[in-house]
């Protein structure tokens, strides 16, 4: 494994540790905090993909949220 790969592996491990801790904290605070946590994570993924020129993540998230809304308002 070269230096760049090791750095990327360390970055991903740090990010996973951060997200796991944030998710646990949100879960302990209650259901709406957990909803907010996941909403923010998904929005960040969509934003990053859009900035990278890929609208598929944002489009998929929007479609999923639309389906979720329709399924829970009927």
């Amino acid at each position: 494994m070269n230096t760049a790969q090791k750095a990327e592996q360390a970055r991903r491990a740090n990010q996973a540790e951060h997200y796991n801790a944030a998710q646990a904290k949100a879960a302990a605070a209650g259901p709406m905090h957990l909803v907010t946590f996941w909403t923010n994570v998904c929005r960040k993924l969509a934003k990053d993909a859009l900035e990278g020129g890929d609208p598929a993540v944002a489009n998929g998230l929007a479609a999923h949220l639309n389906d979720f809304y329709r399924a829970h308002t009927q």
Side-chain angles (χ1 to χ4, degrees):
M1 185 179 301
N2 65 35
T3 303
Q5 290 170 326
K6 287 179 184 177
E8 179 61 17
Q9 185 180 34
R11 185 192 70 77
R12 288 180 185 258
N14 289 340
Q15 185 180 41
E17 185 178 329
H18 166 75
Y19 280 128
N20 288 337
Q23 179 184 0
K25 183 178 177 182
M32 283 309 298
H33 292 271
L34 195 55
V35 167
T36 299
F37 167 79
W38 282 114
T39 301
N40 291 340
V41 170
C42 290
R43 286 176 50 134
K44 181 178 178 351
L45 286 173
K47 179 183 174 197
D48 290 351
L50 284 171
E51 289 173 354
D54 180 10
V57 176
N59 291 338
L61 178 59
H64 181 74
L65 292 172
N66 184 303
D67 292 344
F68 181 90
Y69 173 80
R70 288 177 186 219
H72 292 87
T73 56
Q74 310 230 342

